[in-house]
């Protein structure tokens, strides 16, 4: 049985997606708004600041728009900005994931706050300060009855870390939620036990998209005997009576991981969102991208996979990417690209 994402990949529009000349762009999540157009919620931070750790201190969430899913998307507005430092998400917002249920849009994300000055262009950010702020990452949600806002942000995190002794006692981040027809919501998240420990994934469930969420297992999902195997950037959805997840193959120490290519897409399924099975052919996409002008490039990264759906079926895959051919060799340019997927209509 072939991989259900890989077998549907079409050439990516070279002039599609969302990019900004003066900003690094990351984390693209797209939804069709009440106006019939397509709205991408993305993270950005000024290119003048550099890549490095600046995303953790200076990111904000923005909205861009396009008449078609492929784009190109045009910047419209900043959706989330800084607020009083006492709030958990005061100083930085990142990882947006947009959902809709019964007249309300739910924008999941993580936020941080921190003391001290905001790092400026060219400023060295020490590893100690970066880890301190990294450990403040908390998942939040903002709600609106319109894709145009205004957005109501919660004063408290949607999901807190647990107490020391648990595997997820440091952070909650990388949210990806699926909202069932009755409002029951499952959400996958990322955490770890201590600084530099392996990052792992957990599952929570709530009766409503805005919570309250409870953990479905005390243990992380997708545990591997090989300590070099590591997955992150999960995207969760429900289709054909089961849960599905796309993840990044983020293996360590040249171990080969699950797919054999660092940064490639991994696909797994579950009946209960707790016990997961890797697909027999888990490779969903690689960093070798086929473009609509016939060229092929190896991208530095393909991060934060997100899908767009039509009639309950995935039609477009969105990925944060950069221009270099080695991991994190982004050559000063990042953007959110899009790969159309074959559907019944475009196979005819």
């Amino acid at each position: 049985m072939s991989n259900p994402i890989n077998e549907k990949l079409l050439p990516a529009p070279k002039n599609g997606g969302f990019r900004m000349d003066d900003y690094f762009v990351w984390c693209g999540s797209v939804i069709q708004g009440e106006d019939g157009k397509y709205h991408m919620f993305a993270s950005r931070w000024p290119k003048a600041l550099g890549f490095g750790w600046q995303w953790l201190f200076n990111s904000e969430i923005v909205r861009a728009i396009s008449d078609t899913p492929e784009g190109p998307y045009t910047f419209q507005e900043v959706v989330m900005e800084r607020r009083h430092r006492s709030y958990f998400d005061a100083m930085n917002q990142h990882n947006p994931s947009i959902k809709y249920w019964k007249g309300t849009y739910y924008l999941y994300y993580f936020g941080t706050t921190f003391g001290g000055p905001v790092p400026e262009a060219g400023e060295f950010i020490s590893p100690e300060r970066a880890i301190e702020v990294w450990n403040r990452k908390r998942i939040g949600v903002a709600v609106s009855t319109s894709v145009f806002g205004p957005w109501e942000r919660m004063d408290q995190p949607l999901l807190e870390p647990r107490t020391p002794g648990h595997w997820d006692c440091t952070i909650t981040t990388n949210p990806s939620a699926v909202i069932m027809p009755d409002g029951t919501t499952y959400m996958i998240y990322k955490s770890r036990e201590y600084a530099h420990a392996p990052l792992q994934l957990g599952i929570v469930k709530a009766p409503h998209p805005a919570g309250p969420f409870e953990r479905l297992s005390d243990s992380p999902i997708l545990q591997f005997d090989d300590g070099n195997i590591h997955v992150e950037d999960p995207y969760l959805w429900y289709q054909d009576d089961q849960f599905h997840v796309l993840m990044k193959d983020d293996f360590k120490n040249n171990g080969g991981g699950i797919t054999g290519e660092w940064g490639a897409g991994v696909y797994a399924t579950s009946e209960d969102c707790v016990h997961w099975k890797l697909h027999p052919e888990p490779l969903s996409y690689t960093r070798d991208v086929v473009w609509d002008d016939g060229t092929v490039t190896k991208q530095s990264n393909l991060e934060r996979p997100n899908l767009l759906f039509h009639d309950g079926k995935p039609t477009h895959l969105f990925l944060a990417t950069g221009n270099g051919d080695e991991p994190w060799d982004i050559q000063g340019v990042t953007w959110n690209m899009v790969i159309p997927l074959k559907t019944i209509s475009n196979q005819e």
Side-chain angles (χ1 to χ4, degrees):
M1 182 171 58
S2 59
N3 184 286
I5 297 297
N6 191 284
E7 68 180 2
K8 294 183 174 67
L9 298 177
L10 292 169
K14 206 155 194 179
N15 295 318
F18 175 47
R19 67 182 74 203
M20 300 187 74
D21 291 341
D22 297 328
Y23 290 86
F24 291 112
V25 176
W26 213 248
C27 306
S29 180
V30 175
I31 199 165
Q32 189 171 20
E34 66 265 27
D35 59 348
K37 296 186 178 183
Y38 295 88
H39 299 257
M40 179 184 290
F41 292 80
S43 306
R44 75 169 190 181
W45 64 100
K47 192 175 291 185
L49 294 173
F51 199 73
W53 282 111
Q54 289 287 358
W55 65 270
L56 185 60
F57 292 81
N58 283 291
S59 175
E60 61 188 5
I61 294 174
V62 300
R63 180 176 62 85
I65 194 170
S66 172
D67 290 334
T68 65
E70 293 82 6
Y73 287 79
T74 303
F75 169 77
Q76 295 295 292
E77 63 175 342
V78 175
V79 174
M80 290 189 190
E81 298 177 294
R82 290 190 171 118
R83 54 179 177 168
H84 193 277
R85 288 182 190 242
S86 60
Y87 293 105
F88 75 96
D89 61 350
M91 301 298 289
N92 195 75
Q93 306 85 38
H94 201 70
N95 283 175
S97 181
I98 186 70
K99 302 293 177 181
Y100 178 83
W101 181 71
K102 287 193 174 181
T104 300
Y105 294 91
Y106 295 87
L107 182 57
Y108 299 93
Y109 64 101
F110 87 71
T112 58
T113 191
F114 54 84
V118 178
E120 298 179 351
E123 182 176 337
F124 172 72
I125 300 173
S126 71
E128 294 79 11
R129 190 180 188 205
I131 288 296
E132 177 187 356
V133 176
W134 196 93
N135 280 338
R136 293 180 177 272
K137 292 164 68 174
R138 301 291 186 270
I139 290 172
V141 67
V143 298
S144 176
T145 56
S146 170
V147 76
F148 299 97
W151 295 89
E152 181 182 356
R153 292 159 70 172
M154 291 185 173
D155 293 344
Q156 301 296 326
L158 190 64
L159 182 68
E160 291 272 17
R162 288 189 290 179
T163 56
H166 293 94
W167 71 269
D168 53 355
C169 64
T170 55
I171 60 169
T172 59
T173 186
N174 286 55
S176 181
V178 58
I179 305 172
M180 308 298 280
D182 66 354
T184 300
T185 302
Y186 296 81
M187 185 170 69
I188 197 166
Y189 68 100
K190 185 174 76 173
S191 189
R192 66 184 178 190
E193 190 175 359
Y194 55 89
H196 307 300
L199 291 161
Q200 296 178 296
L201 304 176
I203 292 287
V204 291
K205 179 182 177 181
H208 187 274
F213 283 91
E214 294 184 356
R215 286 163 175 85
L216 293 182
S217 173
D218 282 337
S219 302
I221 62 171
L222 290 161
Q223 299 185 65
F224 303 100
D225 293 335
D226 184 347
N228 290 320
I229 294 179
H230 174 233
V231 291
E232 69 155 0
D233 280 359
Y235 179 83
L236 180 69
W237 78 100
Y238 189 81
Q239 180 187 346
D240 299 331
D241 300 321
Q242 62 180 345
F243 295 92
H244 308 252
V245 68
L246 270 181
M247 303 164 288
K248 171 189 167 187
D249 196 349
D250 192 30
F251 59 79
K252 310 300 181 185
N253 301 316
N254 298 314
I258 298 167
T259 66
E261 180 185 307
W262 186 93
V266 177
Y267 174 71
T269 57
S270 173
E271 299 297 328
D272 60 4
C273 215
V274 176
H275 303 92
W276 290 87
K277 294 180 180 179
L278 292 175
H279 191 274
E281 295 185 14
L283 179 66
S284 298
Y285 53 82
T286 77
R287 288 172 25 237
D288 293 308
V289 174
V290 178
W291 302 96
D292 61 355
D293 63 357
T295 60
V296 179
T297 61
K298 180 175 282 295
Q299 298 299 108
S300 64
N301 296 68
L302 294 179
E303 310 272 329
R304 295 292 294 163
N306 272 266
L307 292 170
L308 177 68
F309 290 80
H310 183 70
D311 292 334
K313 306 291 184 182
T315 60
H316 295 79
L317 171 64
F318 295 87
L319 298 152
T321 192
N323 269 341
D325 59 5
E326 296 294 332
W328 304 113
D329 176 25
I330 61 169
Q331 298 185 7
V333 179
T334 69
W335 75 99
N336 284 318
M337 62 171 290
V338 56
I339 302 177
L341 304 177
K342 296 176 185 175
T343 62
I344 293 176
S345 60
N346 63 30
Q347 285 178 308
E348 295 175 348

